[in-house]
Each structure stands twice: as C-alpha cells, then as structure tokens.
Amino acid sequence: MPAQDGNSPPLVSFIAGGVGGGVEAMATYPFEFAKTRVQLRNQSNTPSPKNPFLVVSQVFRNEGYRALYKGCSTLVVGSIAKDGVRFLSFDAIKKSFADPETGAMSPLRNLLAGMCTGVIASTFAVTPTERIKTALIDDARTAKRFKSSLHALRLIYQEYGLLGMYHGYAGTTLKQAGATAFRMGTYNILKDYEKSRDISQSTFTNFANGAVAGIVTTYATQPFDTVKTRSQSAKGASTIDAFRSIIADEGIRGFWRGTTMRLGRTILSGGILFTVYEQVAAILNPLFI
C-alpha cells in the first residue's frame, strides 16, 4: 500500500486498489503458478526445477499454455477483492493508529496498521480464493477432478463444508499480516526518505519503491507462504501437518522453497500495484472529492 495522504474517499481507495490488484495478478500469474507448483509436494521421483522459466517452459511443453493460467481467474478475483479491501481498510485503520495530536504515522504505527489490514484481507478475501487457486493448480497435475473454479468451489464445499474454504487460514493470515506490514512499511520509509530529500514522486519512483518493498516482503514472509500452499493443496491439510511435511521433506530450507518464483512476481507486482493505484486514484479523485 502506498503512503496515502488520506485525501482519497473510501470508494476511490477500494476501486483503485481493486483495479491495481487485478492488473498485477493477470500480468504476473505465470510466476505465481510456477511458485505454487514448486511448493506443492512432488508426486513422483523426478526432481522439479527451481528456475521459474524452466518450470514455465516445462509446463508449456507438456500441458499447453492454458495450464499456465490454471487458477488465474480465481487469483484475479481474489486480488481485486484483496487489494480493494486492503486499501479501503488501511485508510480507516491508519486513522486509529495516527498520533492524536499531530496525525502523523511513525514506522511502527504503519507496521501495526498494515498487520491489522492483512488480517482483515485474509479473512474476507484471500484465504478462500487462495484455497481454490492452489487446489486447482494441484489438481491439474494429479487427479484432474476440477473443471473450473466454480466446480472446484462446489466440490470442496460438498466434501469439507465451509471450513474447507479456510484450510491454511493460519498460514495465510500470518503471511498477509506480515506481507502487508512489511510492504507498506518499506514503501512508506522509502517514500518519506525521498520526500525529505525533495525527490519528486513519479511513475518511476512509485514502481521502484514498490519493487523494493516486494523484495523485502518476499524474504520476510516466504515460510508462511510455503506452509499456506501445502495446507491448501487439493486434498487439504492442517497448518501443523503442512509444517511437519515441509520439515520431513526438505528441512528448514524447505520453508523458503519457491522464493525465486515468488520474487519474480513480487518485484513486478509491487511496482505494478502501486503505480496503477496511484494512476487510477488520480483519475477518480476529482470525480468524488
């Protein structure tokens, strides 16, 4: 989330955040697909490549280009909801954390506001859509039961009930709380630093700040993402079972499996998300203010 000035109406924050989230999800999905494939348990004795481009090319050769976008629609819908809720929630939450006298937000207050925002986004948008997306990707390489996102939703609900949509909730929420806090904290620190040195804010600086924030966020929250992915496979697993399976398969290093793939996405997604948000907000603000 950018360090907003609080001038955007709630509806503008929601729309601009949703548009930014949808655009970045579509643009970077092949990296998300590759990352998820690597994190899921290998069903054969054939070692899986760690290079995201090798994963993408291998899937393209063996399964066709459509396989690379398996679960994409779910992620796009989830990203629109997630980032819309994120920006909207952060605007409201940061007012509660702002200094009562000056209205200023310290780095720690920004982090706390970001963590709260991440919990809200995970509960109402991220966990259910991530569950479907991950199950679709896992199913495509194994049983191939799911015909579409809606079909997967129906089967998961029939077999596991509503709670089945929240497999991996703990890991997802920890990841979202940490990711939102680190992403916003880093972005705000960079933006405040630039403002203090009269560095003008432009599309380039927004994109660069978002990319750096993406790198920091990835390394800080990768273990949560790996546990979440294992929990949300087609068969589903508890957070504790997912944790144990990672330790058993690969040890501590296994928690950072898929980092390269995720970096490929988060560097681009951070830049795209913040840039699109700023542009859409600039267009909409005059219409609502």
Side-chain angles (χ1 to χ4, degrees):
M1 239 92 48
Q4 303 163 63
D5 298 325
N7 295 325
S8 295
L11 184 59
V12 171
S13 295
F14 182 79
I15 294 174
V19 172
V23 171
E24 70 88 5
M26 289 187 66
T28 62
Y29 188 76
F31 285 106
E32 175 69 13
F33 177 92
K35 182 269 299 181
T36 302
R37 270 286 179 96
V38 166
Q39 288 177 330
L40 289 166
R41 245 180 164 165
N42 197 355
Q43 301 297 319
S44 66
N45 295 323
T46 305
S48 58
K50 297 182 179 180
N51 185 304
F53 297 103
L54 287 179
V55 174
V56 170
S57 63
Q58 186 180 80
V59 172
F60 179 79
R61 287 196 311 269
N62 298 335
E63 303 173 47
Y65 76 91
R66 288 187 177 182
L68 291 172
Y69 284 88
K70 193 75 172 178
C72 181
S73 61
T74 302
L75 184 68
V76 170
V77 171
S79 294
I80 291 172
K82 171 188 71 176
D83 288 305
V85 170
R86 269 182 178 176
F87 281 89
L88 176 63
S89 301
F90 179 69
D91 273 349
I93 291 172
K94 74 174 185 179
K95 293 177 182 178
S96 301
F97 283 92
D99 187 281
E101 296 181 1
T102 65
M105 289 282 288
S106 66
L108 180 58
R109 289 172 187 262
N110 275 320
L111 287 172
L112 290 174
M115 289 177 67
C116 292
T117 301
V119 173
I120 292 172
S122 176
T123 302
F124 292 101
V126 182
T127 300
T129 53
E130 282 285 315
R131 167 69 164 122
I132 297 172
K133 179 216 73 177
T134 304
L136 280 167
I137 293 175
D138 187 29
D139 180 73
R141 71 191 183 121
T142 53
K144 295 182 171 60
R145 292 194 307 149
F146 303 145
K147 299 176 182 178
S148 65
S149 298
L150 289 176
H151 186 233
L153 172 62
R154 188 165 64 251
L155 285 184
I156 291 172
Y157 181 78
Q158 288 175 352
E159 294 173 6
Y160 301 100
L162 182 60
L163 290 178
M165 299 304 300
Y166 282 87
H167 279 168
Y169 175 74
T172 303
T173 302
L174 286 171
K175 176 200 166 187
Q176 287 301 314
T180 306
F182 279 108
R183 175 173 281 190
M184 181 175 55
T186 303
Y187 189 89
N188 283 347
I189 290 170
L190 292 172
K191 196 167 186 177
D192 290 344
Y193 176 85
E194 291 160 357
K195 285 184 176 180
S196 68
R197 284 157 178 75
D198 296 323
I199 299 174
S200 61
Q201 295 298 297
S202 63
T203 298
F204 175 78
T205 54
N206 288 334
F207 192 96
N209 291 345
V212 173
I215 294 172
V216 174
T217 302
T218 298
Y219 280 105
T221 63
Q222 185 63 27
F224 300 133
D225 187 69
T226 304
V227 172
K228 171 200 71 78
T229 298
R230 285 286 181 96
S231 297
Q232 295 176 331
S233 61
K235 294 182 179 179
S238 69
T239 299
I240 294 176
D241 288 340
F243 182 90
R244 288 173 175 169
S245 73
I246 295 167
I247 292 291
D249 290 348
E250 303 174 74
I252 296 297
R253 292 181 63 181
F255 289 101
W256 277 268
R257 189 167 177 79
T259 299
T260 303
M261 285 76 168
R262 192 171 169 222
L263 272 175
R265 180 175 179 238
T266 53
I267 290 173
L268 290 175
S269 69
I272 292 171
L273 175 63
F274 295 133
T275 302
V276 173
Y277 173 85
E278 300 286 5
Q279 296 297 319
V280 174
I283 294 171
L284 294 179
N285 275 330
L287 302 177
F288 290 88
I289 295 179

